[in-house]
Amino acid sequence: MSAQPSAPRRGRGRPPRATASAGAPATRDRILAAAREVFAERGYEKASVRGIAKAADVDAALVHHYFGTKEQVFESAVEGAFAPVLRSQPFAEVRPDHAGEQFVRMFLGIWENPATRAPLLAIIRSAVSNEAAAAIFRRLVAGLVLSKVAKELDGPDAELRAELAAAQVVGVVMLRYVIKVEPVASADPEELIARLAPVLQHHLTGGRLSPDG
């Protein structure tokens, strides 16, 4: 009687983690989601590729396969967090006299949405506590968002005016969503838009004052 082939031996412990052969976009998205959670919880400095892999339940090699280094994982996480902005064309069809309102509505709309606010909070908390993370954040914000806005502005100093407008909104974002200072933290979004829009309008479309005033 011939011997029956033995069943393949199974190692101890958990089932094998996902590998590159799994290759589905869902795996990549899961790694990015885990990365944002790890960066939010531990900060950029204490986060590691191994920790991100563990949170995503994949091998560390798979994180390297998709993204490379920790810096590259962080960069991809930042870019993904700004995806709603990158997919939109906020100034493509807006009238010049509505530029300020459009700008502030776009930014506050993203932050008011819990689904887009959570990853942005994770990114910002890392960026304000680590210079390497801050450098990546600055490069992407300037290259992906502000340059896009500046291209739609007429007149001189478009990049500077776009950055000044962004500075107004970022200040409100920090007070409202990160530090949660009252009464800004609980103010009605429409009230904030009404108050900020004229200031942003000046930055985006207002003329520069001459040295003589």
Side-chain angles (χ1 to χ4, degrees):
M1 181 176 177
S2 59
Q4 295 293 325
S6 58
R9 296 182 60 185
R10 180 180 173 188
R12 296 179 180 178
R14 304 179 355 164
R17 292 181 174 186
T19 62
S21 60
T27 301
R28 188 180 187 279
D29 291 343
R30 189 167 77 249
I31 293 172
L32 278 182
R36 293 186 191 106
E37 290 180 4
V38 171
F39 285 127
E41 180 182 343
R42 305 177 191 174
Y44 180 85
E45 228 168 88
K46 295 183 179 179
S48 67
V49 169
R50 187 182 297 274
I52 292 168
K54 183 177 180 181
D57 197 27
V58 299
D59 293 323
L62 191 57
V63 179
H64 288 297
H65 169 77
Y66 280 118
F67 302 103
T69 63
K70 181 175 80 170
E71 290 80 3
Q72 291 168 312
V73 178
F74 184 78
E75 187 166 348
S76 295
V78 174
E79 189 169 351
F82 277 100
V85 179
L86 302 179
R87 286 195 298 264
S88 67
Q89 297 291 332
F91 289 93
E93 299 178 359
V94 70
R95 298 203 314 265
D97 58 342
H98 282 66
E101 181 182 350
Q102 183 77 9
F103 192 100
V104 70
R105 278 193 183 280
M106 177 185 69
F107 274 90
L108 288 187
I110 291 168
W111 281 91
E112 284 295 307
N113 183 345
T116 49
R117 180 170 65 239
L120 283 171
L121 279 172
I123 298 304
I124 284 183
R125 284 169 180 157
S126 291
V128 298
S129 62
N130 181 272
E131 178 53 35
I136 294 170
F137 186 75
R138 283 195 302 269
R139 184 172 71 251
L140 285 176
V141 169
L144 297 178
V145 180
L146 295 182
S147 63
K148 185 177 181 180
V149 172
K151 287 179 181 178
E152 303 295 337
L153 301 179
D154 295 325
D157 301 323
E159 290 186 6
L160 176 60
R161 288 186 286 122
E163 289 179 6
L164 288 172
Q168 296 285 332
V169 181
V170 169
V172 172
V173 162
M174 292 296 293
L175 290 175
R176 181 174 174 85
Y177 305 102
V178 181
I179 308 174
K180 298 183 179 179
V181 174
E182 295 292 352
V184 172
S186 58
D188 184 270
E190 289 299 323
E191 180 181 358
L192 295 177
I193 290 169
R195 290 178 177 272
L196 288 168
V199 181
L200 270 66
Q201 184 71 30
H202 172 75
H203 286 312
L204 294 171
T205 63
R208 185 175 60 177
L209 292 176
S210 67
D212 297 330

